[in-house]
Amino acid sequence: MTEIGSTVPRRQVGRLLRELREQAGISLMAAAQELEFSRARMYRIENGEVPVRKHDVIAMCSVYSAPGQMTEVLIGLAAESKAKGWWHAYGDVVPAWFELYVGMEQAASHLRSYAPSVIPGLLQIREYAECVFRGWHGEDEAAVENAVAVRLERQSLLNRRRPVAPRLEVIIDEGVLRRATPDTLGMQKQLAHLVNASTRPNIGVRVIPFGAGPHKAASSGQFTILEFPAVGTTSPEPTTIYCENLTGALYLDKLAEVETYESVWAELEAAALSQADSDDLIGEIIKTSDSDL
């Protein structure tokens, strides 16, 4: 893997340019002729193998009659293609309405998520998601409802048939399961949902109990490891680590970075309860909360 910069922005540029070309009904060869590019160069651009210059983005968007907003997004992504570890700050070079992570999540074949403070979005039920977003949006019910709707819509990828639904593995700290919410019944439903989800062949939910003590990931915060499938004869996109905080998100795909997080994940797996024991612990927590009603 190249050490020049993150491949995430240029992969997204390539994917979006290919989608725009296909939506415009223009073949790869026709686009290459119009832009005076070689077929090989077009192929490398669309597969994210090379960075794209600003004036090339503008030219391609013109040929494809791309909307102005999308052109600005592509220009911003192209400018970031040389970043060492790409920092995506919402509303900065890429606007908030363009959900980069959601696109990557949809393209992934395997997702591994560590949850030290909140249940991962792909496994949240409506009541829990409302509680989470109400903490952000307060009494703005429209904003809460819109955020919840997007979160629930994302979950459809776990049920899809084509392409095959991704494998989702989640490791959750016990404290997340015991953290009370204003809606006690809603929290019980959320815990039951985790147990039910773990019975599905493509979903695993394991818990790190309090008794496991400190571990390497204790100070890492929440992260997700995304792995991608090979498409045809094309090599799969490199594994990417996604870390989100209050002001943006960090996408890491350098070999050393990925190896570090793979090592952390291995330690988390060693510290976590088995699937069956995790289900039992969640069941005990549900019973405890039920007795408090």
Side-chain angles (χ1 to χ4, degrees):
M1 185 179 297
T2 178
E3 290 297 307
I4 295 175
S6 172
T7 67
V8 173
R10 69 172 186 251
R11 280 188 275 146
Q12 302 310 307
V13 169
R15 179 181 290 121
L16 290 168
L17 285 172
R18 181 174 63 251
E19 290 176 356
L20 288 171
R21 176 178 60 76
E22 292 173 347
Q23 290 169 7
I26 301 174
S27 69
L28 185 73
M29 182 58 73
Q33 291 175 344
E34 178 69 22
L35 293 160
E36 297 185 349
F37 291 172
S38 68
R39 182 184 177 89
R41 183 181 177 190
M42 285 290 297
Y43 182 85
R44 287 194 295 270
I45 289 174
E46 291 193 356
N47 283 281
E49 296 175 6
V50 293
V52 188
R53 294 170 295 185
K54 177 179 178 179
H55 65 270
D56 288 337
V57 168
I58 294 173
M60 296 173 82
C61 285
S62 176
V63 170
Y64 305 152
S65 300
Q69 280 188 321
M70 185 55 70
T71 300
E72 290 303 313
V73 166
L74 286 162
I75 290 172
L77 286 170
E80 292 295 319
S81 62
K82 295 182 180 180
K84 292 294 183 182
W86 189 52
W87 180 260
H88 170 59
Y90 300 122
D92 192 359
V93 294
V94 178
W97 59 265
F98 180 71
E99 293 292 346
L100 175 62
Y101 175 74
V102 174
M104 296 184 69
E105 187 178 67
Q106 291 287 327
S109 58
H110 189 190
L111 299 150
R112 285 174 286 168
S113 184
Y114 168 54
S117 56
V118 66
I119 292 169
L122 287 177
L123 293 179
Q124 291 180 9
I125 65 169
R126 173 175 292 277
E127 291 87 341
Y128 189 89
E130 287 176 349
C131 178
V132 170
F133 285 118
R134 195 158 279 117
W136 281 97
H137 301 297
E139 299 303 315
D140 188 341
E141 292 300 325
V144 171
E145 180 57 31
N146 287 338
V148 170
V150 171
R151 177 145 296 179
L152 297 180
E153 178 62 27
R154 282 171 52 201
Q155 298 174 7
S156 63
L157 70 87
L158 297 174
N159 302 314
R160 74 188 183 199
R161 295 185 178 181
R162 292 186 180 181
V164 176
R167 168 70 179 167
L168 173 65
E169 295 181 71
V170 171
I171 295 180
I172 305 175
D173 273 342
E174 182 177 345
V176 176
L177 307 176
R178 294 190 180 277
R179 183 167 293 115
T181 66
D183 183 357
T184 303
L185 286 175
M187 188 61 189
Q188 286 184 328
K189 287 176 60 179
Q190 174 64 76
L191 295 176
H193 177 70
L194 294 179
V195 176
N196 291 334
S198 69
T199 64
R200 295 166 58 180
N202 64 320
I203 299 176
V205 180
R206 296 174 61 192
V207 179
I208 297 182
F210 288 144
H215 48 79
K216 188 183 293 184
S219 59
S220 70
Q222 186 157 328
F223 66 86
T224 299
I225 303 174
L226 301 98
E227 297 175 69
F228 303 92
V231 179
T233 59
T234 304
S235 298
E237 295 184 3
T239 299
T240 301
I241 313 300
Y242 174 77
C243 308
E244 184 177 310
N245 66 22
L246 295 177
T247 59
L250 187 63
Y251 295 82
L252 307 171
D253 61 1
K254 300 295 184 58
L255 183 58
E257 295 167 336
V258 172
E259 287 178 342
T260 296
Y261 278 87
E262 290 280 9
S263 173
V264 169
W265 185 263
E267 184 163 325
L268 287 170
E269 285 192 310
L273 298 173
S274 67
Q275 182 68 73
D277 289 343
S278 295
D279 290 345
D280 289 344
L281 177 57
I282 296 173
E284 291 175 8
I285 296 173
I286 293 174
K287 291 179 182 177
T288 300
S289 61
D290 186 52
S291 65
D292 291 336
L293 289 177

